[in-house]
Amino acid sequence: MSIESVDVVITSPGRNFVTLKVVTSDGIVGWGDATLNGRELSVASYLSDHVASMLVGRDEDRIEDTWQYLYRGAYWRRGPVTMAAIAAVDMALWDIKAKKAGMPLYQLLGGASRDGVRVYAHASGTDFEALTNAITGYRELGFTAVRVQTGVPGLGQIYGVSAAGPGVRYDYEPAKRSGDRPAEETWDTRQYLNHMPGVFAKIREEFGTDLRLLHDGHHRMSPIEAARFAKDVEPYDLFWLEDCTPSEDQAALRLVRQHSTTPLAIGEVFNTVFDYQTLITERLIDYVRSAVTHTGGITAMKKLLDFAAIYGIRSGIHGPTDISPIGMAAALHLDLAIHNFGIQEYMPHNEQTLEVFRTSFTFDRGFLHPGDEPGLGVELDEEAASAHEYTKAYLPVNRLLDGTVHDW
Ligand code: GCO
Ligand code: MG
């Protein structure tokens, strides 16, 4: 048996997704997520122009060999485009292998280590009232953990805050269909640092100590600013502070660690285990934030999480809406199987997306399960997908008040 065809499906049910379809000579279909937000077509081209023809005729069971063939074989290593392409192939091959075994993927990864996967939702609001409405809404839905982002007085629309006003919002979506150029946002770290700790104080007063609270700094602070922030919010018991500094500077977190016990999470823009070498071996983080889709797939992610486990570091796999339900399924199977699971991000996809990608996920009082269908448990409906044409969308560009470009 061998791989017979490899195709790329691009669809845009409210947002863009790139999916790889691998079919074997005996008709088994495997799906992989290759979505790279704002740069989708580059991964689609990498796969259809350069990878597809190499896969046809290969033994679909040789997953590790295929991974090394694409990673080492390209000579040019790492980077989000390459690693998203490899991830899509890897996921599709694991999907096929588990379908052949007649088992949900997590069984092949060692079986379930827990009954369900604790997930966190995104609660946001332009002001405190809108934010508390969102938190209350998520608590009523059963969530035990929420990420909190809120507006900063004096700044306009900023990262992580739904512009749609009070209430529970499922559809915060940073990629904007803004024509040929990205939309722009404004930022001022000083105003943010002065505002945010007070918000956490009020949330603890209002909601008590049970609720797990997370926060995303989205790479905007310098090391010394991040150290101050992590120290200021220490009394409010954050589950984690994410991406407090620009992540490529691994040594920056040494300073943050010296000043605070607030747990740190980083890695959604990383692509390989090498991006974590200092962070993990020096125990500078508590949670690994990579997406399976952007880190070379299930094969690479399992190795990364096993490496982290040796240092007592846990998983916090990236799961925003720009990871397709296929990438999310890959995360859930890993989450269920590994011992060093921490938490899983969960931004539910909109209804249009779920009509294109049929999942078998179940949600029960704050915990997700990938379901027990053989394989990843997600099937793409190609007819439904073809109704949604690709539409260019970009993540915003961020500027300081004086116009200087800043990390978004
Ligand atoms: C998160 C992330 C996302 C990213 C998005 C970019 O923690 O969920 O920061 O919201 O901004 O995935 O494509
Ligand atoms: Mg993030």
Side-chain angles (χ1 to χ4, degrees):
M1 277 179 295
S2 62
I3 295 173
E4 194 163 276
S5 68
V6 178
D7 289 289
V8 176
V9 180
I10 303 172
T11 182
S12 195
R15 69 154 0 277
N16 294 319
F17 293 109
V18 177
T19 307
L20 190 72
K21 179 185 184 186
V22 176
V23 185
T24 66
S25 52
D26 55 349
I28 300 173
V29 178
W31 300 105
D33 179 24
T35 308
L36 183 62
N37 210 2
R39 297 292 187 272
E40 295 88 0
L41 298 184
S42 54
V43 190
S45 155
Y46 192 109
L47 285 165
S48 52
D49 295 334
H50 303 288
V51 171
S53 60
M54 289 192 240
L55 295 180
V56 173
R58 285 182 70 83
D59 178 351
E60 72 271 13
D61 278 330
R62 296 180 62 180
I63 300 179
E64 177 72 26
D65 182 69
T66 301
W67 197 96
Q68 301 295 345
Y69 180 75
L70 294 177
Y71 181 79
R72 288 172 208 279
Y75 185 66
W76 309 108
R77 295 181 188 193
R78 310 164 72 178
V81 176
T82 300
M83 298 313 287
I86 296 176
V89 175
D90 185 80
M91 278 182 217
L93 296 187
W94 276 110
D95 193 20
I96 289 169
K97 194 182 276 293
K99 280 173 177 161
K100 282 164 78 167
M103 291 179 188
L105 176 70
Y106 70 82
Q107 293 292 6
L108 301 191
L109 300 174
S113 287
R114 55 196 52 79
D115 302 331
V117 168
R118 187 191 300 279
V119 289
Y120 72 88
H122 283 205
S124 76
T126 43
D127 56 25
F128 191 69
E129 196 195 336
L131 177 62
T132 47
N133 288 341
I135 298 174
T136 304
Y138 281 116
R139 289 227 314 182
E140 282 166 5
L141 291 171
F143 282 91
T144 61
V146 288
R147 187 189 84 160
V148 167
Q149 307 293 134
T150 186
V152 174
L155 300 180
Q157 173 69 30
I158 59 169
Y159 169 75
V161 182
S162 170
V168 176
R169 300 290 308 179
Y170 281 122
D171 55 354
Y172 168 71
E173 179 51 73
K176 305 244 175 5
R177 291 173 166 177
S178 53
D180 280 335
R181 289 199 182 83
E184 300 206 355
E185 295 181 352
T186 329
W187 182 248
D188 184 69
T189 308
R190 194 167 168 270
Q191 290 179 38
Y192 164 78
L193 290 175
N194 287 331
H195 180 67
M196 238 13 244
V199 173
F200 283 109
K202 286 204 280 183
I203 293 173
R204 280 292 177 220
E205 247 170 59
E206 187 124 351
F207 294 96
T209 52
D210 259 11
L211 190 62
R212 289 162 178 79
L213 296 176
L214 298 82
H215 180 67
D216 192 341
H218 231 247
H219 310 116
R220 290 165 184 214
M221 288 172 267
S222 69
I224 198 69
E225 289 165 346
R228 167 184 155 187
F229 186 92
K231 191 170 150 184
D232 284 354
V233 297
E234 224 169 63
Y236 314 118
D237 181 28
L238 261 55
F239 184 90
W240 78 35
L241 169 61
E242 174 185 350
D243 287 345
C244 57
T245 51
S247 353
E248 59 268 45
D249 183 3
Q250 296 187 40
L253 292 196
R254 289 189 188 125
L255 191 79
V256 185
R257 272 294 206 227
Q258 281 160 14
H259 290 277
S260 154
T261 58
T262 295
L264 301 176
I266 216 156
E268 71 183 39
V269 300
F270 289 170
N271 324 117
T272 69
V273 65
F274 302 104
D275 301 318
Y276 286 96
Q277 228 166 347
T278 306
L279 295 174
I280 290 179
T281 55
E282 292 188 24
R283 300 172 201 265
L284 298 179
I285 54 170
D286 300 281
Y287 297 94
V288 162
R289 280 289 285 144
S290 282
V292 187
T293 305
H294 303 142
T295 313
I298 295 150
T299 298
M301 199 68 185
K302 177 76 167 65
K303 291 178 189 180
L304 165 59
L305 294 172
D306 287 345
F307 174 46
I310 296 169
Y311 294 86
I313 295 167
R314 295 193 287 155
S315 70
I317 301 181
H318 197 212
T321 44
D322 46 287
I323 297 301
S324 88
I326 296 166
M328 186 68 185
L332 292 176
H333 285 280
L334 278 162
D335 291 334
L336 204 59
I338 59 171
H339 180 252
N340 58 326
F341 169 73
I343 202 164
Q344 171 65 51
E345 181 179 24
Y346 178 42
M347 279 173 86
H349 291 100
N350 65 24
E351 273 170 34
Q352 283 175 304
T353 299
L354 296 175
E355 276 161 22
V356 172
F357 298 88
R358 312 271 173 175
T359 77
S360 36
F361 304 165
T362 51
F363 177 80
D364 182 24
R365 281 161 295 163
F367 291 80
L368 258 182
H369 191 285
D372 281 307
E373 292 296 317
L376 286 167
V378 181
E379 294 300 319
L380 183 134
D381 178 334
E382 286 178 87
E383 206 186 308
S386 67
H388 305 285
E389 219 172 283
Y390 169 77
T391 313
K392 197 183 263 191
Y394 285 112
L395 292 170
V397 164
N398 205 20
R399 288 185 191 276
L400 300 179
L401 295 172
D402 71 356
T404 308
V405 171
H406 193 64
D407 302 82
W408 174 72

